[in-house]
Amino acid sequence: YRQEPSGASAVFEPGPLLNAARMGHNAALLADGRVILLGGHGPGFVSLATAETWRPGSAAFSTLQMRHS
């Protein structure tokens, strides 16, 4: 995703691959501009215990371990 300099429109472009294939996850935009992907299921519908963050302009996602209590 990038915003046109004029601010009139947004353009979606392919980004980096996730570190873990996931579906059924949640995504949110963080206050610092990063995007976070939480939870979901991987291949075989196995629940994932990781989250991934991506900073616009970065070439890769960063993996975070989720803590369940």
Side-chain angles (χ1 to χ4, degrees):
Y1 168 86
R2 72 179 156 78
Q3 189 73 38
E4 290 294 321
S6 66
S9 63
V11 177
F12 287 88
E13 299 174 332
L17 297 176
L18 296 169
N19 293 315
R22 61 180 70 227
M23 61 183 172
H25 56 277
N26 292 298
L29 180 62
L30 300 175
D32 64 5
R34 290 179 299 157
V35 175
I36 188 166
L37 304 176
L38 303 156
H41 297 91
F45 290 97
V46 175
S47 293
L48 297 172
T50 59
E52 297 191 42
T53 60
W54 175 73
R55 183 176 308 279
S58 172
F61 277 87
S62 297
T63 301
L64 306 169
Q65 294 300 315
M66 293 179 17
R67 296 180 187 171
H68 300 278
S69 44

